[in-house]
Amino acid sequence: MPTETAKVERFRCVIYLCGAPNTDITAPRQECTEYAEAFGWEITGVIEERAGLLSPHGRDGLGRAVEHISSGEAGAVLTAWRSMISSVPQEYDEVAREIEKAGGFLHVKDSAHSERRVAR
């Protein structure tokens, strides 16, 4: 009698990257991809925005990333640096809470990089 093997679902994430217009975010995209793969996370999408210093609440791409969470398509929003969400702590915290309310979490690959950039 054949035995059925239980299929283990991989944890899913959506990568969200935001930079100023005309900035090259190829390196942070690659870093996030490698980071997710190192943990065995499945990447359900990559959303790139060139919004610069626009408030997080005014960004279509960030809204789409949250939709990945609320639809159950992903369990986390992965970004390269805190500043890609917002360099303003209150705004960053609001986005993190919004993602948590949608049923997931916000994960920053390199928070030390963001803090170094903000401290300059």
Side-chain angles (χ1 to χ4, degrees), residues 3-4 6 11-12 16 19 24 27 30 43-44 49-51 56-57 69 75 84-86 99 110 120:
T3 59
E4 288 185 32
F11 183 78
R12 297 181 312 255
Y16 174 78
D24 183 8
Q30 184 62 35
I43 299 166
T44 62
E49 264 186 318
R50 300 290 194 277
H57 300 292
I69 303 299
M84 286 193 168
I85 301 300
S86 179
I99 292 169
D110 186 359
R120 285 185 187 160

Coordinates of all heavy atoms in Angstrom, one line a residue, residues 3-4 6 11-12 16 19 24 27 30 43-44 49-51 56-57 69 75 84-86 99 110 120:
T3 N 2.3 4.9 0.6 CA 2.2 5.8 1.7 C 2.2 7.2 1.2 O 3.0 7.5 0.3 CB 3.3 5.6 2.8 OG1 4.5 5.8 2.2 CG2 3.2 4.2 3.4
E4 N 1.4 8.1 1.8 CA 1.4 9.5 1.4 C 2.4 10.2 2.2 O 2.4 10.1 3.4 CB 0.0 10.1 1.6 CG -1.0 9.6 0.6 CD -2.3 10.3 0.7 OE1 -2.3 11.5 1.1 OE2 -3.3 9.7 0.5
A6 N 3.7 13.6 3.8 CA 3.1 14.9 4.2 C 3.9 16.0 3.6 O 5.1 16.1 3.7 CB 3.1 15.0 5.7
F11 N 7.5 28.6 4.8 CA 7.1 30.0 5.2 C 7.2 30.9 4.0 O 8.2 30.8 3.2 CB 7.9 30.5 6.3 CG 7.5 31.8 6.9 CD1 6.4 31.9 7.7 CD2 8.2 32.9 6.5 CE1 6.0 33.1 8.2 CE2 7.8 34.2 7.0 CZ 6.7 34.2 7.9
R12 N 6.2 31.8 3.8 CA 6.2 32.6 2.6 C 6.4 34.1 3.0 O 5.8 34.5 4.1 CB 4.9 32.5 1.8 CG 4.7 31.1 1.3 CD 3.5 30.9 0.5 NE 2.3 31.4 1.2 CZ 1.4 30.7 1.8 NH1 1.5 29.4 1.8 NH2 0.3 31.2 2.4
Y16 N 9.9 43.8 0.1 CA 9.5 45.2 -0.3 C 10.7 46.0 -0.2 O 11.5 46.0 0.8 CB 8.4 45.7 0.7 CG 8.2 47.2 0.5 CD1 7.3 47.6 -0.5 CD2 8.8 48.1 1.3 CE1 7.1 48.9 -0.8 CE2 8.5 49.5 1.1 CZ 7.7 49.9 0.1 OH 7.5 51.2 -0.2
G19 N 13.3 53.0 -2.6 CA 14.5 53.9 -2.8 C 14.1 55.2 -3.4 O 12.9 55.4 -3.9
D24 N 19.7 52.6 -7.5 CA 19.9 51.2 -7.9 C 19.7 50.4 -6.6 O 20.5 50.5 -5.7 CB 21.3 51.0 -8.5 CG 21.4 49.5 -8.9 OD1 20.4 48.8 -8.9 OD2 22.6 49.2 -9.3
A27 N 21.4 45.6 -5.3 CA 22.1 44.9 -4.2 C 21.2 44.5 -3.0 O 21.2 43.4 -2.6 CB 23.3 45.7 -3.8
Q30 N 19.0 41.6 -4.0 CA 19.8 40.3 -4.0 C 20.0 39.9 -2.5 O 19.9 38.7 -2.2 CB 21.1 40.5 -4.7 CG 21.9 39.2 -4.9 CD 21.1 38.1 -5.6 OE1 20.4 38.4 -6.6 NE2 21.3 36.9 -5.2
I43 N 9.5 33.1 -1.6 CA 9.3 34.5 -1.9 C 8.1 34.5 -2.8 O 8.1 34.0 -3.9 CB 10.5 35.2 -2.6 CG1 11.7 35.1 -1.6 CG2 10.2 36.6 -3.0 CD1 13.0 35.4 -2.3
T44 N 7.0 35.2 -2.3 CA 5.7 35.2 -3.1 C 5.7 36.4 -4.1 O 4.9 36.5 -5.0 CB 4.5 35.2 -2.2 OG1 4.5 36.4 -1.4 CG2 4.4 34.0 -1.4
E49 N 9.7 50.1 -5.1 CA 9.1 51.4 -5.3 C 10.2 52.5 -5.3 O 11.3 52.3 -4.7 CB 8.2 51.8 -4.1 CG 6.8 51.5 -4.4 CD 5.8 51.9 -3.3 OE1 6.1 51.7 -2.1 OE2 4.8 52.4 -3.7
R50 N 10.0 53.5 -6.1 CA 10.9 54.7 -6.1 C 10.2 55.9 -5.5 O 10.0 56.9 -6.2 CB 11.4 54.9 -7.5 CG 12.1 53.8 -8.2 CD 13.4 53.5 -7.6 NE 14.3 52.7 -8.4 CZ 14.2 51.3 -8.4 NH1 13.4 50.7 -7.7 NH2 15.1 50.6 -9.1
A51 N 9.8 55.8 -4.2 CA 9.0 56.8 -3.6 C 9.9 57.8 -2.8 O 9.3 58.8 -2.4 CB 8.0 56.2 -2.7
P56 N 5.0 56.5 4.3 CA 4.7 55.1 4.1 C 3.2 54.9 3.7 O 2.9 54.1 2.9 CB 5.0 54.4 5.4 CG 5.8 55.3 6.2 CD 5.6 56.7 5.7
H57 N 2.3 55.8 4.2 CA 0.9 55.7 3.9 C 0.5 56.1 2.6 O -0.6 55.9 2.1 CB 0.1 56.4 5.0 CG 0.4 55.8 6.4 ND1 0.0 54.5 6.8 CD2 1.0 56.3 7.4 CE1 0.4 54.3 8.0 NE2 1.0 55.4 8.4
I69 N -0.1 40.0 2.9 CA -0.3 39.4 4.3 C -1.7 39.1 4.5 O -2.1 38.0 4.9 CB 0.3 40.4 5.3 CG1 1.8 40.7 5.1 CG2 0.1 39.8 6.7 CD1 2.7 39.6 5.1
G75 N 3.4 35.5 5.0 CA 3.4 35.7 6.4 C 4.3 36.8 6.9 O 4.2 37.2 8.1
M84 N 13.8 51.8 4.5 CA 13.0 51.5 3.4 C 11.5 51.6 3.7 O 10.6 51.7 2.8 CB 13.3 50.2 2.7 CG 14.7 50.3 2.0 SD 14.9 48.8 1.0 CE 16.3 49.3 0.0
I85 N 11.2 51.4 5.0 CA 9.8 51.6 5.5 C 9.6 53.1 5.9 O 8.8 53.8 5.4 CB 9.5 50.7 6.7 CG1 9.7 49.2 6.3 CG2 8.1 50.9 7.2 CD1 8.8 48.7 5.1
S86 N 10.5 53.5 6.8 CA 10.5 55.0 7.2 C 11.7 55.2 8.1 O 12.0 54.4 8.9 CB 9.2 55.4 7.9 OG 9.3 56.7 8.3
I99 N 0.9 45.7 9.6 CA 1.3 44.3 9.1 C 0.9 43.3 10.1 O 0.3 42.2 9.7 CB 2.8 44.3 8.7 CG1 3.0 45.2 7.5 CG2 3.2 42.8 8.4 CD1 4.5 45.4 7.2
D110 N 18.7 44.0 7.7 CA 19.9 44.6 8.3 C 19.5 45.9 9.0 O 19.7 47.0 8.5 CB 20.9 44.9 7.1 CG 22.2 45.4 7.7 OD1 22.4 45.5 8.9 OD2 23.1 45.6 6.8
R120 N 24.2 59.2 10.6 CA 25.2 60.1 9.9 C 24.7 61.5 9.8 O 23.6 61.9 9.8 CB 25.4 59.6 8.5 CG 26.2 58.4 8.4 CD 26.5 58.0 7.0 NE 27.2 56.7 7.0 CZ 27.2 55.9 6.0 NH1 26.7 56.2 4.9 NH2 27.9 54.8 6.1

